[in-house]
Amino acid sequence: AQTVTQSQPEMSVQEAETVTLSCTYDTSENNYYLFWYKQPPSRQMILVIRQEAYKQQNATENRFSVNFQKAAKSFSLKISDSQLGDTAMYFCAFMNGFYNQGGKLIFGQGTELSVKP
Amino acid sequence: DTEVTQTPKHLVMGMTNKKSLKCEQHMGHRAMYWYKQKAKKPPELMFVYSYEKLSINESVPSRFSPECPNSSLLNLHLHALQPEDSALYLCASSQESGGGVYGYTFGSGTRLTVV
């Protein structure tokens, strides 16, 4: 069974600085997808960034980038130039790439990030 | 339209009540999901509908009854709930069962309180 582990329950960062959130996962599959979701106090779960396991290149979305280390099964999220609006719970998530697995998105326990002015 | 709309946003119900949660999307997504989320915890999958058919039921108690009347609409019927069922209920959709590389689009949830 696949598992996702986020070892940092809480983190804080000063506005404009850079912060990295850690995520490791365990799977025996070779074809899968990884995601980072953000959930602010408004409750909406928002997709931040995604990575396909077969792609070597790390995904980047504006101030958000990932460090995907497939052999180490690590998928960390780097937030550059942190903004107050980045304050949220961040979930790392895994999805098997084979559709007959039922489309289950497996979440880590989350990291609560506070950006301080 | 790139949204998943959930109604109501808040619901308070007694343990003998019957109520329904509604979820709607107009993105042409063919898979829809119900998740339950407790405070400061990750969402837990309850049900998956693929092409309007129930494909996954994560051993959810029968007091929760899902319904998918058409490809755009997903309901969750609630009956005889317990206080421990109080949680945020999230609906999500994806382009196809499995979500693929695009992942899910989530609604903003219904905050349910059972009294």
Side-chain angles (χ1 to χ4, degrees), chain B residues 50-74:
Chain B
S50 176
Y51 291 87
E52 299 155 54
K53 288 187 168 44
L54 182 65
S55 61
I56 293 181
N57 177 341
E58 290 286 303
S59 303
V60 178
S62 59
R63 57 185 184 268
F64 295 92
S65 175
E67 178 197 20
C68 188
N70 59 58
S71 60
S72 299
L73 190 57
L74 185 66

Side-chain angles (χ1 to χ4, degrees), chain A residues 66-87:
Chain A
V66 298
N67 183 2
F68 174 47
Q69 301 289 327
K70 190 171 182 179
K73 295 180 182 172
S74 170
F75 183 61
S76 60
L77 175 70
K78 185 171 85 171
I79 307 174
S80 304
D81 185 26
S82 296
Q83 300 175 359
L84 296 177
D86 294 334
T87 293

Side-chain angles (χ1 to χ4, degrees), chain A residues 17-49:
Chain A
E17 293 189 346
T18 295
V19 64
T20 298
L21 279 57
S22 300
C23 173
T24 58
Y25 59 95
D26 188 26
T27 184
S28 58
E29 302 294 338
N30 198 44
N31 180 25
Y32 53 88
Y33 306 103
L34 296 163
F35 306 89
W36 278 98
Y37 280 90
K38 165 187 176 181
Q39 189 175 36
S42 65
R43 309 177 327 199
Q44 178 117 36
M45 192 80 77
I46 301 163
L47 179 62
V48 175
I49 199 165

Side-chain angles (χ1 to χ4, degrees), chain B residues 18-94:
Chain B
K18 285 185 182 181
K19 296 285 185 183
S20 296
L21 309 185
K22 180 179 170 182
C23 174
E24 200 163 2
Q25 58 88 13
H26 296 286
M27 295 177 280
H29 288 177
R30 302 315 303 266
M32 296 184 77
Y33 312 82
W34 279 115
Y35 278 83
K36 173 183 177 180
Q37 187 181 25
K38 292 282 198 178
K40 295 189 184 291
K41 295 290 186 184
E44 300 172 8
L45 182 65
M46 300 175 74
F47 303 104
V48 178
Y49 271 85
S50 176
Y51 291 87
E52 299 155 54
K53 288 187 168 44
L54 182 65
S55 61
I56 293 181
N57 177 341
E58 290 286 303
S59 303
V60 178
S62 59
R63 57 185 184 268
F64 295 92
S65 175
E67 178 197 20
C68 188
N70 59 58
S71 60
S72 299
L73 190 57
L74 185 66
N75 298 320
L76 186 63
H77 303 299
L78 314 172
H79 173 53
L81 295 193
Q82 303 297 310
E84 59 264 30
D85 296 322
S86 298
L88 180 67
Y89 288 84
L90 291 166
C91 175
S93 69
S94 67

Side-chain angles (χ1 to χ4, degrees), chain A residues 39 44 50 95 99 103 112, chain B residues 37 40 96 98 101 104 106:
Chain A
Q39 189 175 36
Q44 178 117 36
R50 55 180 173 247
M95 180 181 291
Y99 298 146
E112 190 166 20
Chain B
Q37 187 181 25
K40 295 189 184 291
E96 55 208 3
V101 67
Y104 296 178
F106 282 88

